[in-house]
Amino acid sequence: MVVGAGIVGASIAHELVHRGWTVTIVEQYAPAHVRASSHDSSRVLRLSYGGGREIDVWYTRRAWRARQLWQEIGEDEGTELFHSVGVVWFARGTAEFEERSARSLEALDLPVERLPPEAAREFFPDVRCDDLEFVVHEPRSGVLRARPAVLALVRRALRKGARLRIATARPDERGRAVADGGPLPADRTVWAGGPWLGRWFPHLLEIEAVRQNVFYYGVEPHWRTPGLPVWVDGGAYGVGDLDDSGFKVGGALGEAPVIDPDLADRRPDPDAEQIARSVLANRFPALAGAPLVSRHVCQYELTTDQHFVLTPVPGGGGGWLAGGGGHAFKFGPALGEYVADLLEGREQPLPAFGLGPREKFESQESATPGQLARQHR
């Protein structure tokens, strides 16, 4: 039983059913619904995690594996789910994160370039680079088509024999699922409900859903992706016009308040749009006056330290918790592989993903959870 059909649940169900498990997916709304963290047109797949810690290497290696799997799944489905357009990091100030990331990728023999500031002009039709220390280029990273990717995983699981049940499931005291007044029997129940995990398991987890804003601007054809790479500029990031959605600006655009994933007002913060415009004006002057064509709220679900929860539910009922890191989309099918290995005893859970006290994530750029977009998307 997999509860939740967002990117985490869909990836786990997809992997399990292809390994021969009998799988039921339980979703309270619909796969990739508008309240889900997996909803939207695009997500970034990048390899940089700062380096220097074992967990950073784990994330980088899993992201690289996910890149391969996303390409294979897209080819099998006859559609391009992952666009290998590259990721460009605009390194400003001390640029410690970008410097450590570049060194880490080099040490892992993964593709990366550390370039002079003026190299930014090779990637974008118009870009300001006089305030940069250098540019980090991940040539084989890129952008995922978000909602189509989730739906592709769900369809593939259903074709292989998985069942989809629309119901509101809740855990009992041992982590087993109950819906419509009765139990949902399963040898293993994987709770992959994203921002709902903290609500379902308040005695075990401290997970908050935080709200961020995403804006899309109308641009000329030479600002499209594929064509342009993903860009990351401090706490802001973006993607060229993908599938005619507009030029995307998201990330740390003002406050990131905690929200209720069911009842939250999804209108973006007006102040955030002004910040997004200032990002455009500073980095891409030609887009300073580009018309706003779409906007919405993007939510992250975050543990205290912003690492995943991937661990059994205490009590021996066969329940498992999966999610909570806010940056799961890029990993997708690779995360599905890892959780399937955990369920089959091929891997042991990493201590960093277990229950118990966690140190609060801190950043020199922001103390607000979820503000550093580069740590998540």
Side-chain angles (χ1 to χ4, degrees):
M1 190 80 58
V2 178
V3 183
I7 188 59
V8 175
S11 296
I12 294 169
H14 175 266
E15 181 65 22
L16 288 173
V17 75
H18 278 79
R19 293 192 186 194
W21 289 63
T22 300
V23 177
T24 298
I25 306 168
V26 182
E27 168 57 54
Q28 62 182 337
Y29 295 117
H33 61 85
V34 294
R35 293 181 177 93
S37 301
S38 302
H39 180 74
D40 198 7
S41 59
S42 63
R43 289 291 185 272
V44 174
L45 194 161
R46 44 87 182 182
L47 305 177
S48 291
Y49 269 87
R53 302 176 302 174
E54 183 178 350
I55 194 65
D56 298 329
V57 174
W58 189 94
Y59 285 133
T60 294
R61 290 194 184 278
R62 291 285 167 175
W64 183 248
R65 171 61 176 161
R67 180 190 183 280
Q68 175 189 352
L69 293 174
W70 279 122
Q71 287 186 308
E72 291 175 358
I73 292 169
E75 291 171 2
D76 194 39
E77 291 295 295
T79 186
E80 197 166 10
L81 298 176
F82 170 67
H83 294 287
S84 184
V85 296
V87 174
V88 171
W89 298 77
F90 298 126
R92 297 183 281 121
T94 59
E96 292 181 8
F97 179 91
E98 291 83 0
E99 186 69 56
R100 292 198 311 271
S101 293
R103 292 177 180 176
S104 178
L105 295 184
E106 289 173 350
L108 294 171
D109 199 27
L110 293 175
V112 65
E113 298 177 300
R114 189 185 187 283
L115 303 171
E118 56 271 18
R121 299 191 183 100
E122 300 175 12
F123 300 106
F124 301 97
D126 176 56
V127 60
R128 179 190 170 206
C129 53
D130 63 338
D131 62 338
L132 302 181
E133 297 296 320
F134 56 91
V135 169
V136 174
H137 179 220
E138 298 180 25
R140 298 183 67 184
S141 299
V143 61
L144 289 155
R145 298 174 64 228
R147 192 166 185 271
V150 175
L151 295 177
L153 291 174
V154 172
R155 284 195 302 267
R156 287 167 62 85
L158 296 180
R159 287 202 304 265
K160 195 70 175 179
R163 293 172 293 174
L164 175 63
R165 177 172 177 174
I166 303 300
T168 301
R170 295 293 181 266
D172 66 11
E173 67 281 357
R174 296 176 63 193
R176 298 169 298 190
V178 178
D180 300 326
L184 302 178
D187 297 312
R188 297 287 184 271
T189 301
V190 181
W191 295 91
W196 288 270
L197 279 178
R199 180 182 300 174
W200 295 340
F201 297 91
H203 58 298
L204 296 178
L205 303 175
E206 186 177 349
I207 293 180
E208 294 179 331
V210 298
R211 160 181 150 158
Q212 299 216 328
N213 303 273
V214 180
F215 300 93
Y216 293 88
Y217 296 90
V219 292
E220 299 299 320
H222 52 277
W223 288 96
R224 288 177 179 166
T225 294
L228 296 190
V230 176
W231 55 272
V232 187
D233 191 6
Y237 75 99
V239 178
D241 187 347
L242 178 68
D243 294 334
D244 297 317
S245 59
F247 187 91
K248 179 178 181 178
V249 180
L253 307 175
E255 296 299 321
V258 175
I259 63 171
D260 182 316
D262 288 305
L263 302 177
D265 188 324
R266 301 281 170 157
R267 288 174 294 184
D269 183 347
D271 293 338
E273 205 275 325
Q274 295 302 315
I275 298 173
R277 284 230 173 254
S278 69
V279 170
L280 285 179
N282 178 69
R283 189 59 59 204
F284 308 108
L287 301 184
L292 179 66
V293 294
S294 179
R295 59 183 180 177
H296 69 89
V297 165
C298 173
Q299 69 191 12
Y300 300 162
E301 59 276 4
L302 301 168
T303 59
T304 304
D305 62 4
Q306 304 189 6
H307 292 307
F308 293 128
V309 174
L310 300 171
T311 192
V313 177
W320 280 74
L321 303 170
H327 58 152
F329 206 107
K330 67 178 70 63
F331 301 106
L335 195 61
E337 283 187 335
Y338 178 69
V339 174
D341 285 343
L342 292 176
L343 297 181
E344 294 178 345
R346 301 170 186 266
E347 291 264 13
Q348 293 300 312
L350 292 179
F353 299 154
L355 300 175
R358 295 181 177 223
E359 294 184 6
K360 184 177 180 181
F361 173 82
E362 297 289 352
S363 163
Q364 293 181 351
E365 296 189 33
S366 171
T368 305
Q371 283 287 74
L372 267 184
R374 67 189 184 196
Q375 296 291 73
H376 309 299
R377 292 296 197 248

